[in-house]
Amino acid sequence: MSGSLTVRKLAVAVSLLPLLAACGTASHSADGGESSAGGGTSSVGSSEQLDIPADAGADLKKQYLVQNAIAACMKKQGFTYIPIAPMDMDLEDSWADSGADYKLTKKHRQRYGFDIYAGIVYPNDPQAMGSKASQENETDTPNAPNERYVATLTPEQKAAYDTAMGVTDPEAKASGKAQPAGCSKSAAEKVYGSAAAQKRSSDQEAAQQQANTQALNGDPKLVALAQSYASCLKKQGISVTTTQPTEIGHMVRSQALESAPPALRAGDVNPDGTPVEAMSKDEALPLLTRDIDLALQDLECGREFRSAYFPKFFKAPAPVGGGAG
């Protein structure tokens, strides 16, 4: 796993709404019949309601409630929307192979390194990031039923659904126009409160995340261990650009990504206007070998640091840059 994980909470549930809205516009019933494109004037198949897991935490429960509220709202307007079960993203599980679990991370890096070249070398391995197999697994997303449903609709039907859902036209959004009232907005307000209340909650979360970041970066033990981590990297000939506890854990991988050849971005255009050609497996193999060595050196140098960092990070998560993976 790469990068860093922000604290989800309100932002996750609300940020899903535009995606869900874009997934489809519906004026066909679930059983294949048709309803009025205007919505609310003819019967459609009964909208599903998700069962909320008994052990769901408060944040996850709210995400379920938003989905069910959208489905119920759209049904009232004569449309069908299939609610999508939210993912229960456990913070510790999310970081398990990013250094939180040393043995698991070592096993992962011994084969995939930093996941920069593994997808090219192992195209049929679904665990290799960017591989053909992993991309094929992503094609049938949780939102696939709605996407297939939308594909059958006429432009007029889609436009009617967008109005009911409250989807903002891209050009209107770019001009700064407010999102129109619709099911996505009303569902969020029903669960999270008014727009003002949501902003207050978002602001409070941002302030808490900033406080968490400052606490981690100011922790004397983590600061000392980060310095030792950096010294070890330097002895290995690895460049060190930061010793901040919230940054150093993903620093080496970030540098490896930045120095990766343009061929990894097949489809881009070179400065002279010619297309960038994809890297071959033979070309990627020696780069993967070097990437594995680098990833393992980073893991070993940061082992003691990560063992102290992650328990504190899990108690008080920090935003982007707050992980040590």
Side-chain angles (χ1 to χ4, degrees):
M1 187 172 294
S2 62
S4 59
L5 185 69
T6 59
V7 182
R8 297 175 65 83
K9 296 184 179 179
L10 170 67
V12 174
V14 176
S15 66
L16 283 173
L17 300 181
L19 171 63
L20 305 180
C23 76
T25 60
S27 57
H28 285 67
S29 69
D31 60 5
E34 294 186 0
S35 65
S36 168
T41 59
S42 61
S43 176
V44 298
S46 61
S47 297
E48 298 177 12
Q49 289 285 290
L50 297 170
D51 293 327
I52 302 175
D55 61 349
D59 294 328
L60 184 61
K61 181 178 180 181
K62 287 181 179 180
Q63 293 176 46
Y64 271 91
L65 291 174
V66 167
Q67 285 294 307
N68 285 341
I70 293 176
C73 175
M74 294 302 288
K75 181 181 179 182
K76 287 181 179 179
Q77 299 195 47
F79 297 106
T80 297
Y81 172 78
I82 302 172
I84 301 171
M87 293 181 65
D88 185 5
M89 295 293 291
D90 182 88
L91 189 60
E92 295 189 29
D93 287 345
S94 298
W95 286 99
D97 63 355
S98 293
D101 184 320
Y102 170 79
K103 291 183 179 180
L104 184 62
T105 304
K106 184 174 183 178
K107 181 179 179 180
H108 182 88
R109 293 191 180 188
Q110 284 175 329
R111 178 172 173 82
Y112 306 111
F114 282 130
D115 291 296
I116 300 175
Y117 308 97
I120 300 174
V121 177
Y122 308 121
N124 298 317
D125 184 347
Q127 300 302 314
M129 185 180 297
S131 68
K132 180 180 178 182
S134 68
Q135 293 172 356
E136 289 175 348
N137 284 351
E138 293 174 356
T139 57
D140 195 19
T141 64
N143 196 41
N146 285 315
E147 293 171 345
R148 289 192 292 267
Y149 188 67
V150 171
T152 68
L153 305 179
T154 66
E156 291 77 13
Q157 291 168 337
K158 293 178 181 179
Y161 180 88
D162 284 349
T163 299
M165 180 66 83
V167 177
T168 304
D169 178 84
E171 293 184 2
K173 185 175 182 180
S175 67
K177 291 185 179 179
Q179 178 180 343
C183 287
S184 61
K185 185 176 181 179
S186 65
E189 291 181 346
K190 180 178 180 180
V191 176
Y192 292 104
S194 66
Q198 292 178 46
K199 186 178 187 305
R200 285 195 299 272
S201 178
S202 178
D203 290 344
Q204 290 171 358
E205 182 180 15
Q208 184 60 61
Q209 290 180 353
Q210 183 177 10
N212 291 349
T213 299
Q214 292 174 344
L216 289 168
N217 286 332
D219 186 292
K221 181 178 180 180
L222 294 182
V223 170
L225 289 173
Q227 291 288 346
S228 297
Y229 182 3
S231 296
C232 178
L233 292 174
K234 290 177 181 178
K235 290 179 181 178
Q236 300 293 331
I238 300 171
S239 174
V240 174
T241 58
T242 180
T243 57
Q244 282 197 332
T246 58
E247 299 288 340
I248 192 170
H250 59 88
M251 175 195 67
V252 178
R253 182 181 189 277
S254 295
Q255 292 178 169
L257 277 169
E258 290 172 1
S259 63
L264 281 178
R265 304 186 303 275
D268 286 359
V269 179
N270 292 312
D272 62 0
T274 59
V276 174
E277 296 183 3
M279 181 181 294
S280 69
K281 181 177 179 179
D282 289 341
E283 292 172 324
L285 186 56
L287 296 176
L288 173 61
T289 300
R290 187 175 65 186
D291 193 52
I292 289 173
D293 290 341
L294 182 63
L296 291 175
Q297 288 175 340
D298 172 65
L299 180 64
E300 295 303 325
C301 282
R303 182 175 183 177
E304 188 176 358
F305 167 78
R306 289 186 174 93
S307 68
Y309 178 87
F310 275 108
K312 296 182 179 183
F313 172 71
F314 293 145
K315 289 180 180 179
V320 174

